[in-house]
Coordinates of all heavy atoms in Angstrom, one line a residue:
M830 N 43.6 -38.3 45.3 CA 42.2 -38.6 45.6 C 41.3 -37.4 45.1 O 40.2 -37.7 44.7 CB 42.0 -38.9 47.1 CG 40.7 -39.5 47.3 SD 40.6 -41.1 46.4 CE 39.4 -41.9 47.3
Q831 N 41.9 -36.2 45.1 CA 41.1 -35.1 44.6 C 40.8 -35.2 43.1 O 39.6 -34.9 42.7 CB 41.9 -33.8 44.9 CG 41.2 -32.5 44.4 CD 42.0 -31.3 44.6 OE1 43.2 -31.4 44.9 NE2 41.5 -30.2 44.4
H832 N 41.7 -35.7 42.3 CA 41.5 -35.9 40.9 C 40.4 -37.0 40.7 O 39.6 -36.9 39.8 CB 42.7 -36.2 40.2 CG 43.7 -35.1 40.0 ND1 43.3 -34.0 39.3 CD2 44.9 -34.9 40.5 CE1 44.3 -33.1 39.3 NE2 45.3 -33.6 40.0
A833 N 40.5 -38.0 41.5 CA 39.5 -39.1 41.4 C 38.1 -38.6 41.6 O 37.2 -39.0 40.9 CB 39.8 -40.3 42.3
N834 N 37.9 -37.8 42.6 CA 36.5 -37.3 42.8 C 36.1 -36.4 41.7 O 34.9 -36.4 41.4 CB 36.5 -36.5 44.2 CG 36.6 -37.4 45.4 OD1 36.3 -38.6 45.3 ND2 37.2 -36.9 46.4
K835 N 36.9 -35.6 41.1 CA 36.5 -34.8 40.0 C 36.2 -35.6 38.7 O 35.3 -35.3 37.9 CB 37.7 -33.8 39.6 CG 37.8 -32.7 40.6 CD 38.9 -31.7 40.1 CE 39.1 -30.6 41.1 NZ 40.2 -29.7 40.6
L836 N 36.9 -36.8 38.6 CA 36.7 -37.6 37.4 C 35.5 -38.5 37.5 O 35.1 -39.1 36.5 CB 38.0 -38.4 37.1 CG 39.2 -37.5 36.8 CD1 40.4 -38.4 36.6 CD2 39.0 -36.8 35.5
R837 N 35.0 -38.7 38.7 CA 33.8 -39.6 38.8 C 32.6 -39.1 38.1 O 31.8 -39.8 37.6 CB 33.5 -39.8 40.3 CG 34.5 -40.6 41.0 CD 34.1 -40.9 42.4 NE 35.3 -41.5 43.1 CZ 35.2 -42.0 44.2 NH1 34.2 -42.0 44.9 NH2 36.3 -42.6 44.7
K838 N 32.5 -37.8 38.0 CA 31.4 -37.1 37.3 C 32.0 -36.3 36.2 O 32.2 -35.0 36.4 CB 30.5 -36.3 38.2 CG 29.7 -37.1 39.1 CD 28.7 -36.3 39.8 CE 27.8 -37.1 40.7 NZ 26.8 -36.3 41.5
P839 N 32.5 -36.9 35.1 CA 33.1 -36.1 34.0 C 32.1 -35.1 33.4 O 30.9 -35.3 33.4 CB 33.6 -37.1 33.0 CG 32.7 -38.3 33.3 CD 32.3 -38.2 34.7
P840 N 32.6 -34.0 32.9 CA 31.7 -33.0 32.2 C 31.1 -33.6 31.0 O 31.6 -34.6 30.4 CB 32.7 -31.9 31.8 CG 34.0 -32.5 31.9 CD 34.0 -33.6 32.8
T841 N 29.9 -33.1 30.7 CA 29.2 -33.6 29.5 C 29.8 -33.3 28.2 O 29.6 -33.9 27.2 CB 27.7 -33.2 29.5 OG1 27.7 -31.7 29.6 CG2 27.0 -33.7 30.8
S842 N 30.6 -32.2 28.1 CA 31.3 -31.8 26.9 C 32.8 -31.9 27.1 O 33.2 -32.0 28.3 CB 30.9 -30.4 26.5 OG 31.3 -29.5 27.5
L843 N 33.5 -31.9 26.1 CA 35.0 -32.0 26.2 C 35.5 -30.7 26.9 O 35.1 -29.6 26.6 CB 35.6 -32.0 24.8 CG 35.5 -33.4 24.1 CD1 36.1 -33.3 22.7 CD2 36.1 -34.5 24.9
P844 N 36.3 -30.9 27.9 CA 36.8 -29.7 28.7 C 37.8 -29.0 27.9 O 38.5 -29.5 27.0 CB 37.4 -30.4 29.9 CG 37.9 -31.7 29.4 CD 36.8 -32.1 28.4
P845 N 38.0 -27.7 28.1 CA 38.9 -26.9 27.4 C 40.4 -27.2 27.8 O 41.3 -26.8 27.2 CB 38.6 -25.5 27.7 CG 37.8 -25.5 29.0 CD 37.1 -26.9 29.0
D846 N 40.5 -27.9 29.0 CA 41.8 -28.2 29.5 C 42.5 -29.3 28.7 O 42.0 -30.5 28.7 CB 41.7 -28.7 31.0 CG 43.0 -29.0 31.6 OD1 44.0 -28.7 31.1 OD2 42.9 -29.6 32.8
P847 N 43.6 -29.1 28.0 CA 44.2 -30.1 27.2 C 44.9 -31.2 28.0 O 45.2 -32.3 27.5 CB 45.3 -29.3 26.4 CG 45.5 -28.1 27.1 CD 44.3 -27.8 27.9
E848 N 45.1 -31.0 29.3 CA 45.7 -32.0 30.1 C 44.7 -33.0 30.8 O 45.0 -33.9 31.5 CB 46.5 -31.4 31.2 CG 47.7 -30.6 30.6 CD 48.4 -29.8 31.7 OE1 48.1 -29.9 32.9 OE2 49.4 -29.1 31.3
Y849 N 43.4 -32.8 30.5 CA 42.4 -33.6 31.0 C 42.5 -35.1 30.7 O 42.5 -35.9 31.6 CB 41.0 -33.1 30.6 CG 39.8 -33.9 31.1 CD1 39.4 -33.8 32.4 CD2 39.2 -34.9 30.3 CE1 38.3 -34.5 32.9 CE2 38.1 -35.6 30.7 CZ 37.7 -35.4 32.0 OH 36.6 -36.2 32.5
G850 N 42.8 -35.4 29.5 CA 43.1 -36.8 29.0 C 44.2 -37.4 29.7 O 44.2 -38.6 30.1
E851 N 45.3 -36.6 29.9 CA 46.5 -37.1 30.6 C 46.2 -37.4 32.1 O 46.5 -38.4 32.6 CB 47.6 -36.1 30.5 CG 48.9 -36.6 31.1 CD 49.5 -37.8 30.4 OE1 49.3 -37.9 29.1 OE2 50.0 -38.7 31.0
R852 N 45.4 -36.5 32.7 CA 45.0 -36.8 34.2 C 44.1 -38.0 34.3 O 44.3 -38.8 35.2 CB 44.3 -35.6 34.7 CG 45.2 -34.4 35.0 CD 44.6 -33.3 35.9 NE 43.2 -33.1 35.5 CZ 42.8 -32.0 34.9 NH1 43.6 -31.1 34.5 NH2 41.5 -31.8 34.6
L853 N 43.2 -38.1 33.3 CA 42.3 -39.3 33.3 C 43.1 -40.6 33.1 O 42.9 -41.6 33.8 CB 41.3 -39.1 32.2 CG 40.2 -40.3 32.1 CD1 39.4 -40.3 33.4 CD2 39.3 -40.0 30.9
N854 N 44.1 -40.5 32.2 CA 44.9 -41.7 31.9 C 45.7 -42.1 33.2 O 45.9 -43.2 33.5 CB 45.8 -41.4 30.7 CG 46.5 -42.6 30.2 OD1 46.0 -43.7 30.4 ND2 47.6 -42.4 29.5
E855 N 46.3 -41.1 33.8 CA 47.1 -41.3 35.1 C 46.2 -41.9 36.2 O 46.6 -42.9 36.8 CB 47.7 -40.0 35.6 CG 48.8 -39.5 34.7 CD 49.3 -38.2 35.1 OE1 48.9 -37.7 36.2 OE2 50.1 -37.6 34.4
Q856 N 45.0 -41.4 36.3 CA 44.1 -41.9 37.4 C 43.7 -43.4 37.0 O 43.7 -44.2 37.9 CB 42.8 -41.0 37.5 CG 41.9 -41.5 38.6 CD 42.5 -41.5 39.9 OE1 43.3 -40.6 40.3 NE2 42.1 -42.4 40.8
F857 N 43.4 -43.6 35.8 CA 43.0 -45.0 35.4 C 44.2 -45.9 35.6 O 44.0 -47.0 36.1 CB 42.6 -45.0 33.9 CG 42.2 -46.3 33.4 CD1 40.9 -46.8 33.7 CD2 43.0 -47.2 32.7 CE1 40.4 -48.0 33.2 CE2 42.6 -48.4 32.3 CZ 41.3 -48.8 32.5
S858 N 45.4 -45.5 35.2 CA 46.6 -46.3 35.4 C 46.8 -46.6 36.9 O 47.1 -47.7 37.3 CB 47.8 -45.6 34.8 OG 49.0 -46.3 35.0
D859 N 46.7 -45.6 37.7 CA 46.9 -45.8 39.2 C 45.9 -46.7 39.8 O 46.2 -47.5 40.6 CB 46.9 -44.5 39.9 CG 48.1 -43.6 39.6 OD1 49.1 -44.1 39.0 OD2 48.1 -42.4 39.8
T860 N 44.6 -46.6 39.4 CA 43.5 -47.4 40.0 C 43.5 -48.8 39.4 O 43.4 -49.8 40.2 CB 42.2 -46.7 39.7 OG1 42.3 -45.4 40.2 CG2 41.1 -47.4 40.4
V861 N 43.5 -48.9 38.1 CA 43.3 -50.2 37.5 C 44.6 -51.0 37.3 O 44.7 -52.2 37.6 CB 42.5 -50.1 36.1 CG1 42.4 -51.4 35.4 CG2 41.2 -49.5 36.4
W862 N 45.6 -50.3 36.7 CA 46.8 -51.0 36.3 C 47.8 -50.9 37.5 O 48.9 -51.5 37.3 CB 47.4 -50.4 35.1 CG 46.5 -50.5 33.9 CD1 45.7 -49.5 33.4 CD2 46.2 -51.7 33.2 NE1 45.0 -50.0 32.3 CE2 45.2 -51.3 32.2 CE3 46.6 -53.0 33.3 CZ2 44.7 -52.2 31.3 CZ3 46.1 -53.9 32.4 CH2 45.1 -53.5 31.4
Q863 N 47.5 -50.3 38.5 CA 48.4 -50.2 39.7 C 49.8 -49.8 39.4 O 50.8 -50.4 39.8 CB 48.3 -51.5 40.5 CG 46.9 -51.9 41.0 CD 46.8 -53.2 41.6 OE1 47.8 -54.0 41.6 NE2 45.7 -53.5 42.2
G864 N 49.9 -48.7 38.7 CA 51.2 -48.1 38.4 C 51.9 -48.5 37.2 O 52.9 -48.0 36.8
V865 N 51.4 -49.5 36.5 CA 52.0 -50.0 35.2 C 51.8 -48.9 34.2 O 50.6 -48.5 33.9 CB 51.4 -51.3 34.7 CG1 51.9 -51.7 33.4 CG2 51.6 -52.4 35.8
T866 N 52.8 -48.4 33.6 CA 52.7 -47.3 32.6 C 52.0 -47.8 31.3 O 52.3 -48.8 30.8 CB 54.1 -46.8 32.2 OG1 54.8 -46.4 33.4 CG2 54.0 -45.6 31.3
Q867 N 51.0 -47.0 30.9 CA 50.2 -47.3 29.7 C 50.5 -46.3 28.6 O 51.1 -45.2 28.9 CB 48.7 -47.3 30.0 CG 48.3 -48.4 31.0 CD 48.6 -49.8 30.5 OE1 48.2 -50.1 29.4 NE2 49.3 -50.6 31.3
A868 N 50.1 -46.6 27.4 CA 50.4 -45.6 26.3 C 49.6 -44.3 26.5 O 48.5 -44.3 27.0 CB 50.0 -46.3 25.0
N869 N 50.2 -43.2 26.1 CA 49.6 -41.9 26.2 C 48.7 -41.8 25.0 O 49.2 -41.7 23.8 CB 50.7 -40.8 26.2 CG 50.1 -39.5 26.3 OD1 48.9 -39.3 26.3 ND2 50.9 -38.5 26.4
I870 N 47.4 -41.7 25.2 CA 46.4 -41.6 24.1 C 45.9 -40.2 23.9 O 45.1 -40.0 23.0 CB 45.2 -42.5 24.3 CG1 44.5 -42.2 25.6 CG2 45.7 -44.0 24.3 CD1 43.2 -42.9 25.8
S871 N 46.5 -39.2 24.6 CA 46.0 -37.8 24.5 C 46.1 -37.3 23.0 O 45.4 -36.4 22.6 CB 46.6 -36.9 25.5 OG 48.0 -36.9 25.3
R872 N 47.1 -37.8 22.3 CA 47.3 -37.2 20.9 C 46.1 -37.7 20.0 O 46.0 -37.1 18.9 CB 48.6 -37.7 20.4 CG 48.7 -39.1 20.1 CD 50.2 -39.5 19.7 NE 50.3 -40.9 19.8 CZ 50.6 -41.7 18.7 NH1 50.8 -41.1 17.5 NH2 50.7 -43.0 18.8
F873 N 45.3 -38.7 20.4 CA 44.2 -39.1 19.6 C 42.9 -38.4 19.8 O 41.9 -38.6 19.1 CB 44.0 -40.6 19.8 CG 45.2 -41.5 19.4 CD1 46.0 -42.1 20.3 CD2 45.5 -41.6 18.0 CE1 47.0 -42.8 19.9 CE2 46.5 -42.4 17.6 CZ 47.3 -43.0 18.6
I874 N 42.9 -37.5 20.8 CA 41.7 -36.7 21.2 C 41.6 -35.5 20.2 O 42.5 -34.7 20.2 CB 41.7 -36.3 22.6 CG1 41.8 -37.5 23.6 CG2 40.5 -35.4 22.9 CD1 42.0 -37.1 25.0
R875 N 40.6 -35.5 19.4 CA 40.4 -34.4 18.5 C 39.4 -33.4 19.0 O 38.3 -33.8 19.3 CB 39.9 -34.9 17.1 CG 41.0 -35.7 16.4 CD 40.5 -36.1 15.0 NE 40.1 -34.9 14.3 CZ 39.5 -34.8 13.2 NH1 39.2 -36.0 12.6 NH2 39.2 -33.7 12.6
R876 N 39.8 -32.2 19.1 CA 38.9 -31.1 19.6 C 38.0 -30.6 18.5 O 36.9 -30.0 18.7 CB 39.7 -29.9 20.2 CG 40.6 -30.4 21.3 CD 40.0 -30.1 22.6 NE 41.0 -30.4 23.6 CZ 40.7 -31.2 24.6 NH1 39.5 -31.7 24.8 NH2 41.6 -31.5 25.5
D877 N 38.4 -30.8 17.2 CA 37.6 -30.3 16.1 C 36.8 -31.4 15.4 O 36.3 -31.2 14.3 CB 38.6 -29.7 15.1 CG 39.6 -30.7 14.5 OD1 39.8 -31.7 15.1 OD2 40.1 -30.4 13.4
A878 N 36.6 -32.5 16.1 CA 35.8 -33.6 15.4 C 34.4 -33.2 15.3 O 33.8 -32.5 16.1 CB 35.9 -34.9 16.3
L879 N 33.8 -33.6 14.2 CA 32.4 -33.4 13.9 C 31.5 -34.3 14.8 O 31.9 -35.4 15.1 CB 32.1 -33.6 12.4 CG 32.8 -32.7 11.5 CD1 32.5 -33.1 10.0 CD2 32.3 -31.2 11.7
P880 N 30.3 -33.9 15.1 CA 29.4 -34.8 15.8 C 29.1 -36.0 15.0 O 29.1 -35.9 13.8 CB 28.2 -33.9 16.1 CG 28.2 -32.8 15.1 CD 29.7 -32.6 14.8
P881 N 28.8 -37.1 15.7 CA 28.4 -38.3 14.9 C 27.2 -38.1 14.0 O 26.3 -37.4 14.4 CB 28.2 -39.4 16.0 CG 27.9 -38.6 17.2 CD 28.6 -37.3 17.1
V882 N 27.3 -38.7 12.9 CA 26.2 -38.6 11.9 C 25.1 -39.6 12.3 O 25.4 -40.8 12.6 CB 26.7 -39.0 10.5 CG1 25.6 -38.9 9.5 CG2 27.8 -38.0 10.1
V883 N 23.9 -39.1 12.3 CA 22.7 -40.0 12.7 C 22.5 -40.9 11.5 O 22.3 -40.4 10.3 CB 21.5 -39.2 13.0 CG1 20.3 -40.1 13.3 CG2 21.8 -38.2 14.1
P884 N 22.5 -42.2 11.7 CA 22.3 -43.1 10.5 C 20.9 -42.9 9.9 O 19.9 -42.7 10.6 CB 22.4 -44.5 11.1 CG 22.2 -44.3 12.6 CD 22.6 -42.9 12.9
V885 N 20.8 -43.1 8.6 CA 19.5 -42.9 7.9 C 18.6 -44.1 8.2 O 17.4 -44.0 8.4 CB 19.8 -42.9 6.4 CG1 18.5 -42.8 5.6 CG2 20.6 -41.6 6.0
F886 N 19.2 -45.3 8.2 CA 18.4 -46.5 8.6 C 18.7 -46.9 10.0 O 19.9 -47.3 10.3 CB 18.8 -47.6 7.6 CG 18.5 -47.3 6.2 CD1 19.5 -46.9 5.3 CD2 17.2 -47.4 5.7 CE1 19.2 -46.7 4.0 CE2 16.9 -47.1 4.4 CZ 17.9 -46.7 3.5
N887 N 17.7 -46.9 10.8 CA 17.9 -47.4 12.2 C 16.7 -48.3 12.5 O 15.8 -48.4 11.7 CB 18.0 -46.2 13.2 CG 16.8 -45.3 13.2 OD1 15.7 -45.7 13.0 ND2 17.1 -44.0 13.4
F888 N 16.7 -48.9 13.6 CA 15.7 -49.9 14.0 C 14.3 -49.3 14.0 O 13.4 -49.9 13.5 CB 16.0 -50.5 15.4 CG 17.2 -51.4 15.3 CD1 18.5 -51.0 15.7 CD2 17.1 -52.7 14.9 CE1 19.5 -51.8 15.7 CE2 18.2 -53.6 14.9 CZ 19.4 -53.1 15.3
T889 N 14.2 -48.1 14.4 CA 12.9 -47.5 14.6 C 12.3 -47.2 13.2 O 11.1 -47.6 12.9 CB 13.0 -46.1 15.3 OG1 13.6 -46.4 16.6 CG2 11.6 -45.5 15.5
N890 N 13.0 -46.5 12.3 CA 12.4 -46.2 11.0 C 12.2 -47.4 10.1 O 11.3 -47.4 9.3 CB 13.0 -45.0 10.4 CG 14.5 -45.2 9.9 OD1 14.9 -46.3 9.9 ND2 15.2 -44.1 9.7
V891 N 13.1 -48.4 10.2 CA 12.9 -49.6 9.3 C 11.7 -50.3 9.8 O 10.9 -50.8 9.0 CB 14.2 -50.4 9.3 CG1 14.0 -51.8 8.7 CG2 15.4 -49.7 8.7
D892 N 11.6 -50.5 11.1 CA 10.4 -51.2 11.6 C 9.1 -50.5 11.3 O 8.1 -51.1 10.9 CB 10.5 -51.3 13.1 CG 9.3 -52.1 13.7 OD1 9.0 -53.2 13.3 OD2 8.6 -51.5 14.6
E893 N 9.1 -49.1 11.3 CA 8.0 -48.4 11.0 C 7.6 -48.5 9.5 O 6.4 -48.7 9.2 CB 8.2 -46.9 11.3 CG 7.1 -46.0 11.0 CD 7.4 -44.5 11.3 OE1 8.2 -44.3 12.1 OE2 6.8 -43.7 10.6
Q894 N 8.6 -48.6 8.6 CA 8.3 -48.7 7.2 C 7.7 -50.1 6.9 O 6.8 -50.3 6.1 CB 9.5 -48.5 6.4 CG 10.0 -47.0 6.4 CD 8.9 -46.1 5.9 OE1 8.2 -46.4 4.9 NE2 8.8 -45.0 6.6
L895 N 8.3 -51.1 7.6 CA 7.8 -52.5 7.4 C 6.4 -52.7 8.0 O 5.6 -53.4 7.4 CB 8.7 -53.5 8.0 CG 10.1 -53.7 7.3 CD1 11.0 -54.7 8.1 CD2 9.8 -54.3 5.9
R896 N 6.1 -51.9 9.0 CA 4.8 -52.0 9.6 C 3.7 -51.3 8.7 O 2.6 -51.7 8.7 CB 4.8 -51.3 11.0 CG 3.7 -51.8 11.9 CD 3.7 -51.2 13.3 NE 5.1 -51.0 13.8 CZ 5.5 -49.8 14.3 NH1 4.8 -48.8 14.2 NH2 6.7 -49.7 14.8
N897 N 4.2 -50.4 7.9 CA 3.3 -49.7 7.0 C 3.1 -50.3 5.6 O 2.4 -49.8 4.7 CB 3.7 -48.2 6.8 CG 3.6 -47.4 8.1 OD1 2.7 -47.7 8.9 ND2 4.4 -46.5 8.3
V898 N 3.8 -51.5 5.4 CA 3.7 -52.1 4.1 C 2.3 -52.7 3.9 O 1.7 -53.3 4.8 CB 4.7 -53.3 4.0 CG1 4.4 -54.2 2.8 CG2 6.1 -52.8 4.0
K899 N 1.7 -52.4 2.7 CA 0.4 -52.9 2.4 C 0.4 -54.3 2.1 O 1.4 -54.8 1.5 CB -0.2 -52.1 1.2 CG -0.2 -50.6 1.4 CD -1.5 -50.1 1.9 CE -1.6 -48.6 1.8 NZ -1.4 -47.9 3.0
S900 N -0.6 -55.1 2.4 CA -0.6 -56.5 2.2 C -1.2 -56.7 0.8 O -2.3 -57.2 0.6 CB -1.4 -57.3 3.2 OG -2.7 -56.8 3.2
T901 N -0.4 -56.4 -0.2 CA -0.8 -56.5 -1.6 C -0.1 -57.8 -2.2 O 0.7 -58.5 -1.5 CB -0.4 -55.3 -2.4 OG1 1.1 -55.1 -2.3 CG2 -1.1 -54.1 -1.9
S902 N -0.3 -58.0 -3.5 CA 0.3 -59.1 -4.1 C 1.8 -58.9 -4.2 O 2.4 -57.8 -4.1 CB -0.2 -59.3 -5.5 OG 0.0 -58.2 -6.3
A903 N 2.5 -60.0 -4.5 CA 4.0 -59.9 -4.6 C 4.5 -59.0 -5.7 O 3.9 -58.9 -6.7 CB 4.5 -61.3 -4.8
G904 N 5.6 -58.4 -5.4 CA 6.2 -57.5 -6.4 C 7.1 -58.3 -7.3 O 7.1 -59.5 -7.3
P905 N 8.0 -57.6 -8.1 CA 8.9 -58.3 -9.0 C 9.9 -59.2 -8.3 O 10.4 -60.2 -8.9 CB 9.7 -57.2 -9.7 CG 9.3 -55.9 -9.0 CD 8.1 -56.2 -8.1
D906 N 10.1 -59.0 -7.0 CA 11.1 -59.8 -6.2 C 10.4 -61.1 -5.7 O 11.0 -62.0 -5.1 CB 11.7 -59.1 -5.1 CG 10.7 -58.5 -4.1 OD1 9.5 -58.7 -4.3 OD2 11.1 -57.7 -3.2
G907 N 9.0 -61.2 -5.8 CA 8.3 -62.4 -5.4 C 8.0 -62.4 -3.9 O 7.5 -63.4 -3.4
I908 N 8.2 -61.3 -3.2 CA 7.9 -61.2 -1.8 C 6.7 -60.4 -1.6 O 6.6 -59.2 -2.0 CB 9.1 -60.5 -1.0 CG1 10.4 -61.4 -1.2 CG2 8.8 -60.5 0.5 CD1 11.6 -60.7 -0.6
S909 N 5.7 -61.0 -0.9 CA 4.4 -60.3 -0.7 C 4.6 -59.3 0.5 O 5.4 -59.5 1.4 CB 3.3 -61.3 -0.4 OG 3.5 -61.8 0.8
G910 N 3.7 -58.3 0.4 CA 3.6 -57.3 1.5 C 3.2 -58.0 2.8 O 3.7 -57.6 3.9
K911 N 2.4 -59.0 2.8 CA 2.0 -59.7 4.0 C 3.1 -60.4 4.6 O 3.3 -60.4 5.9 CB 0.8 -60.7 3.6 CG 0.2 -61.3 4.8 CD -1.0 -62.1 4.3 CE -1.8 -62.6 5.6 NZ -3.0 -63.3 5.2
L912 N 4.0 -61.0 3.8 CA 5.2 -61.7 4.3 C 6.1 -60.6 5.0 O 6.6 -60.9 6.1 CB 5.9 -62.4 3.3 CG 7.2 -63.1 3.7 CD1 6.9 -64.2 4.7 CD2 7.9 -63.7 2.5
L913 N 6.4 -59.5 4.4 CA 7.2 -58.5 4.9 C 6.7 -58.0 6.3 O 7.4 -57.8 7.2 CB 7.4 -57.3 4.0 CG 8.2 -57.6 2.7 CD1 8.2 -56.4 1.8 CD2 9.7 -57.9 3.1
Y914 N 5.4 -57.8 6.3 CA 4.8 -57.3 7.5 C 4.9 -58.4 8.6 O 5.2 -58.1 9.8 CB 3.3 -56.9 7.3 CG 2.6 -56.5 8.6 CD1 2.7 -55.2 9.0 CD2 1.8 -57.4 9.3 CE1 2.1 -54.8 10.2 CE2 1.2 -57.0 10.5 CZ 1.3 -55.7 10.9 OH 0.7 -55.3 12.1
S915 N 4.6 -59.6 8.3 CA 4.6 -60.7 9.3 C 6.0 -61.0 9.8 O 6.2 -61.3 11.0 CB 4.1 -62.0 8.7 OG 2.7 -61.8 8.3
A916 N 7.0 -60.8 9.0 CA 8.4 -61.1 9.4 C 9.2 -59.9 9.8 O 10.4 -60.0 9.9 CB 9.1 -61.9 8.2
R917 N 8.6 -58.8 10.0 CA 9.3 -57.5 10.2 C 10.2 -57.6 11.4 O 11.3 -57.0 11.4 CB 8.3 -56.3 10.3 CG 7.5 -56.2 11.6 CD 6.6 -55.0 11.5 NE 5.9 -54.9 12.8 CZ 4.9 -55.6 13.2 NH1 4.4 -56.6 12.4 NH2 4.3 -55.5 14.4
L918 N 9.8 -58.2 12.5 CA 10.7 -58.3 13.7 C 12.0 -59.0 13.4 O 13.0 -58.7 14.0 CB 9.9 -58.9 14.9 CG 8.7 -58.2 15.3 CD1 8.0 -58.9 16.4 CD2 9.1 -56.8 15.8
E919 N 11.9 -60.0 12.5 CA 13.1 -60.8 12.2 C 13.9 -60.0 11.1 O 15.1 -60.3 11.0 CB 12.8 -62.2 11.7 CG 12.3 -63.1 12.8 CD 10.8 -62.9 13.1 OE1 10.1 -62.3 12.3 OE2 10.4 -63.4 14.2
L920 N 13.3 -59.2 10.3 CA 14.0 -58.6 9.2 C 14.6 -57.2 9.6 O 15.6 -56.8 8.9 CB 13.0 -58.3 8.1 CG 12.4 -59.5 7.3 CD1 11.3 -59.0 6.4 CD2 13.5 -60.2 6.6
V921 N 14.2 -56.6 10.6 CA 14.7 -55.3 11.0 C 16.2 -55.3 11.2 O 16.9 -54.5 10.6 CB 14.0 -54.7 12.2 CG1 14.7 -53.4 12.7 CG2 12.5 -54.4 11.9
S922 N 16.7 -56.2 12.0 CA 18.1 -56.2 12.3 C 19.0 -56.4 11.1 O 20.0 -55.7 10.9 CB 18.4 -57.3 13.4 OG 19.8 -57.3 13.8
P923 N 18.7 -57.5 10.3 CA 19.6 -57.6 9.1 C 19.5 -56.5 8.1 O 20.5 -56.1 7.5 CB 19.0 -58.9 8.5 CG 18.2 -59.6 9.5 CD 17.8 -58.6 10.4
L924 N 18.3 -55.9 8.0 CA 18.2 -54.8 7.0 C 19.0 -53.5 7.5 O 19.6 -52.9 6.7 CB 16.7 -54.4 6.8 CG 15.9 -55.4 6.0 CD1 14.4 -55.0 6.0 CD2 16.4 -55.5 4.6
V925 N 19.0 -53.3 8.8 CA 19.7 -52.2 9.3 C 21.2 -52.4 9.2 O 22.0 -51.5 8.9 CB 19.4 -51.9 10.8 CG1 20.3 -50.9 11.5 CG2 17.9 -51.4 10.9
T926 N 21.6 -53.7 9.4 CA 23.0 -54.0 9.3 C 23.6 -53.9 7.9 O 24.7 -53.3 7.7 CB 23.2 -55.5 9.8 OG1 22.7 -55.6 11.1 CG2 24.7 -55.9 9.8
I927 N 22.8 -54.3 6.9 CA 23.4 -54.2 5.5 C 23.2 -52.8 4.9 O 23.8 -52.5 3.9 CB 22.7 -55.3 4.6 CG1 21.2 -55.1 4.5 CG2 23.0 -56.7 5.1 CD1 20.6 -56.0 3.5
A928 N 22.4 -52.0 5.5 CA 22.1 -50.6 4.9 C 23.3 -49.7 5.1 O 24.1 -49.6 5.7 CB 20.9 -50.0 5.5

């Protein structure tokens, strides 16, 4: 029970203790799987992993760019600025997904 109380509020950064993953796995197994042995995933924990890369295209900046489109005549693609501005809420998600 002592380990469960410590694991309820895990530290915000990776702990220096290499057995932390194993203790967490054991506690999860005891609580959820009720003693059924699960695979040891501690070998997949990388201490030297780089922080996640912030995506260049996200919902905020794509929406901002579409909001700033001038309502001019259509360009070579035949899509007017007014249409892009009007449909920006529907276009943001697909544009972020394909970017």
